[in-house]
Amino acid sequence: MALLSAAAARRRQSPPLCRLLVTCKPRRCSGLVLGVFEKEGEEGGLHLTEAAAGFDQTLLGKLSELLKISGPTLKKGKSRIFYGIHKDFPCVAVVGLGKNDAGVCGAENWDTSKENIRQAMSAGCRLLQDLEVTHVEVDGCGDAQSAAEGAALGLFHYDQLKSKKKTKVTTQLHGSADSASWEKGVTYAEGQNLARLLMEAPANHITPTAFANTIEEKLAPHAERVTIKKRSQAWIEEQQMGAFLSVSKGSEELPVFLELHYNGSPDSSQAPLLLVGKGITFDSGGISLKPSPSMDAMRADMGGAATVCASIVTVAALKLPVNIIGLAPLCENMPSGKATKPGDVVTAKNGKTIQVDNTDAEGRLVLADALCYGHTFNPRAIVNVATLTGAMDVALGSAATGVFTNSDWLWEKLHKASVVTGDRVWRMPLFQHYTRQVTDSQLADLNNIGKYSRYVSRHARSGGACTAAAFLREFVTAPHWAHLDIAGVMSNKDEIPYLRKGMSGRPTRTLVEFAAGLAHNG
């Protein structure tokens, strides 16, 4: 009887093993994400990262043993969770990293090793988030910046307007081998997440004024290096930006021309890099009304402005030694009795007249005036970013941002940056073939849609991305200019494994890496 009572008492004191191992409800529940590489030349073999090997050593080889007996060898992106194997980490996720020496792949135009690390650390962190783990230590996997990017990008979820929210997870590098690279990766990812936040938010929450105020707030900690100018409609009128005003006048929301100056170079006379972002905070198409299905996604038609402004916030946080000017013409494109009508002719800042045959081709109009204004700063290079054409999505899909440029030097800088970030770019043509299509206009100097695009349906645009780029080129005199059409990469379904479904914030990290390249290498 005494023996039975003792056994019963022990049962009362000890919770069931499965509950002990799986339930994770302490005030601060910690988890760990580790990586493993496939061992070269050995079928089914695994090679632990330095952090994973160190952790395994503290367990006297228990992790290696569990990996061998718990199922098939972990291939790239595949994961396994172990519970209760370490007192400090109730949950440990181990994720496959693929081959250790993958490196830069010419066919894919990215660094495969970096992409594998981003994907693996993102997957591991999400697994632990689903278990309501609130703090995760992450394996640097030999590239702490990529690990940090994967973790922070993978955990982002837009639920600001929902009552029920996902578990908030904090992350840190496991060990302190390369904390500087980790912090850099976190900063890069936070920049892209800011762009995602702006793009995902409803258009009634992110109006032109609200957008400008948000960026001003984000740049406040860097006031010693940053000057912000929120230009009003009166200023826009003074500048004779007739193309921009022709788009904004259909909306009750007032336009804002946001101007950011980041002065990071010790040489104050250094010519600035000019970044220009299309800022249509909602695009209904205007009188040339878009179809209603998926029109809600046009809350992200300010993706160019979001990525440009977010990249400047990131550059300021990194204190990069470079001068940058950012311009974001912000407005809505709406139908009303005051809206521009198909066939109207408007005059841009440089005096060129434009026949507006399609009011849904409005992004090029606001960019035209911004580009004209930007030339007054004598920039070393101009990069404009815009969700400009559905034709770009048709051409490249979500694999890469389309780049149209008059400068081989600028293309090489952008391409080099994109290989590092994994957020790829692909060069597109700027032939005179396309220029002739936009300069052949019945009533004005230019037409806002290509000659042959006028006679095809919305879903059969004839070289629409190329004619849009050719139109913008009519407002550029600088020798180093690039137009980035990001319409195809605006959102993510499941193509990029370390981004959840929703607005992508691409290519913010590539813009930051490009600016860093200019800062350090010229």
Side-chain angles (χ1 to χ4, degrees):
M1 190 75 177
L3 286 173
L4 287 173
S5 299
R10 282 195 299 273
R11 283 196 298 271
R12 283 196 298 272
Q13 291 167 3
S14 302
L17 185 60
C18 60
R19 193 192 316 160
L20 174 69
L21 298 182
V22 178
T23 303
C24 209
K25 293 289 184 181
R27 185 175 58 183
R28 177 182 162 105
C29 177
S30 294
L32 176 63
V33 179
L34 298 171
V36 290
F37 294 104
E38 294 174 23
K39 188 175 285 187
E40 287 292 327
E42 185 178 328
E43 184 64 30
L46 290 174
H47 171 65
L48 300 180
T49 63
E50 184 179 344
F55 183 75
D56 187 40
Q57 193 172 4
T58 65
L59 298 177
L60 303 177
K62 188 175 182 181
L63 180 64
S64 296
E65 182 184 345
L66 287 170
L67 285 168
K68 288 176 184 175
I69 65 174
S70 59
T73 302
L74 282 178
K75 298 295 185 182
K76 184 182 74 172
K78 299 299 181 182
S79 57
R80 203 156 291 148
I81 299 181
F82 301 108
Y83 302 97
I85 62 173
H86 192 284
K87 61 182 177 62
D88 294 331
F89 304 106
C91 309
V92 178
V94 183
V95 191
L97 294 166
K99 295 179 179 178
N100 191 14
D101 58 351
V104 174
C105 176
E108 288 294 334
N109 278 263
W110 64 21
D111 188 316
T112 304
S113 294
K114 290 179 179 293
E115 279 296 283
N116 289 351
I117 291 168
R118 292 183 188 107
Q119 292 178 23
M121 295 304 102
S122 168
C125 288
R126 285 187 199 170
L127 282 172
L128 297 186
Q129 184 180 41
D130 289 342
L131 293 171
E132 300 184 4
V133 174
T134 56
H135 182 73
V136 176
E137 293 194 15
V138 180
D139 186 348
C141 304
D143 184 347
Q145 180 177 343
S146 296
E149 289 174 5
L153 291 170
L155 288 168
F156 175 87
H157 179 71
Y158 185 85
D159 56 7
Q160 272 74 356
L161 305 177
K162 290 189 174 184
S163 301
K164 187 177 181 181
K165 302 182 187 296
K166 276 194 169 287
T167 302
K168 175 75 174 174
V169 180
T170 59
T171 60
Q172 73 177 70
L173 180 63
H174 182 62
S176 57
D178 199 358
S179 57
S181 292
W182 170 268
E183 292 302 327
K184 182 180 177 183
V186 169
T187 304
Y188 270 56
E190 285 177 346
Q192 184 167 344
N193 287 344
L194 171 58
R196 294 164 85 184
L197 184 74
L198 291 165
M199 293 169 71
E200 199 71 81
N204 63 327
H205 286 248
I206 297 293
T207 62
T209 300
F211 183 106
N213 291 343
T214 300
I215 296 302
E216 184 177 37
E217 179 185 319
K218 295 294 182 182
L219 284 170
H222 315 292
E224 73 283 359
R225 287 186 175 86
V226 178
T227 304
I228 303 168
K229 299 176 182 178
K230 295 185 288 186
R231 309 291 198 178
S232 67
Q233 179 165 315
W235 180 90
I236 298 167
E237 290 169 350
E238 286 172 13
Q239 293 293 315
Q240 297 182 309
M241 294 183 174
F244 179 21
L245 290 166
S246 76
V247 178
S248 68
K249 69 179 186 178
S251 174
E252 292 296 318
E253 290 288 344
L254 291 174
V256 176
F257 193 93
L258 183 61
E259 185 177 324
L260 310 174
H261 291 250
Y262 169 74
N263 300 302
S265 173
D267 178 8
S268 59
S269 64
Q270 182 195 80
L273 165 65
L274 180 69
L275 300 178
V276 183
K278 170 187 168 185
I280 305 298
T281 58
F282 186 76
D283 182 16
S284 68
I287 297 297
S288 306
L289 196 67
K290 291 179 180 288
S292 57
S294 302
M295 193 195 285
D296 66 290
M298 289 298 96
R299 66 188 184 276
D301 205 30
M302 30 59 94
T307 55
V308 160
C309 293
S311 66
I312 292 175
V313 171
T314 307
V315 165
L318 293 167
K319 297 181 171 61
L320 292 182
V322 64
N323 294 334
I324 301 179
I325 294 174
L327 305 177
L330 301 162
C331 70
E332 291 182 339
N333 183 25
M334 297 290 284
S336 74
K338 298 183 294 182
T340 295
K341 303 169 291 296
D344 284 359
V345 174
V346 300
T347 304
K349 180 174 171 60
N350 66 351
K352 288 189 178 182
T353 55
I354 305 165
Q355 180 176 338
V356 182
D357 273 353
N358 188 329
T359 65
D360 193 24
E362 84 300 329
R364 64 202 71 182
L365 298 177
V366 304
L367 287 173
D369 281 339
L371 286 167
C372 291
Y373 176 67
H375 278 73
T376 63
F377 299 106
N378 298 313
R380 65 197 292 195
I382 301 174
V383 176
N384 72 255
V385 188
T387 50
L388 206 63
T389 64
M392 192 73 256
D393 186 23
V394 173
L396 293 180
S398 59
T401 292
V403 176
F404 301 81
T405 180
N406 61 359
S407 167
D408 291 340
W409 169 82
L410 188 51
W411 160 250
E412 287 168 9
K413 293 286 187 183
L414 287 164
H415 180 254
K416 182 179 179 181
S418 76
V419 170
V420 173
T421 63
D423 197 349
R424 297 175 289 193
V425 296
W426 190 257
R427 193 169 188 177
M428 302 290 288
L430 266 178
F431 301 145
Q432 285 297 313
H433 173 91
Y434 302 113
T435 300
R436 288 192 290 271
Q437 293 183 44
V438 295
T439 54
D440 182 356
S441 177
Q442 183 180 355
L443 304 176
D445 299 324
L446 300 167
N447 197 295
N448 80 321
I449 54 173
K451 178 179 180 180
Y452 303 118
S453 298
R454 297 168 220 167
Y455 311 112
V456 296
S457 74
R458 182 184 296 271
H459 298 291
R461 304 168 182 86
S462 180
C466 301
T467 53
F471 178 91
L472 292 178
R473 193 179 191 179
E474 292 300 301
F475 300 89
V476 174
T477 58
H480 301 296
W481 162 72
H483 157 54
L484 276 58
D485 193 334
I486 62 170
V489 303
M490 179 181 82
S491 63
N492 190 67
K493 293 180 279 294
D494 56 10
E495 308 95 316
I496 309 299
Y498 48 87
L499 301 178
R500 294 185 194 272
K501 182 179 179 181
M503 300 307 169
S504 70
R506 296 170 64 189
T508 302
R509 287 181 300 114
T510 294
L511 291 174
V512 175
E513 185 67 20
F514 163 66
L518 289 186
H520 299 305
N521 303 311

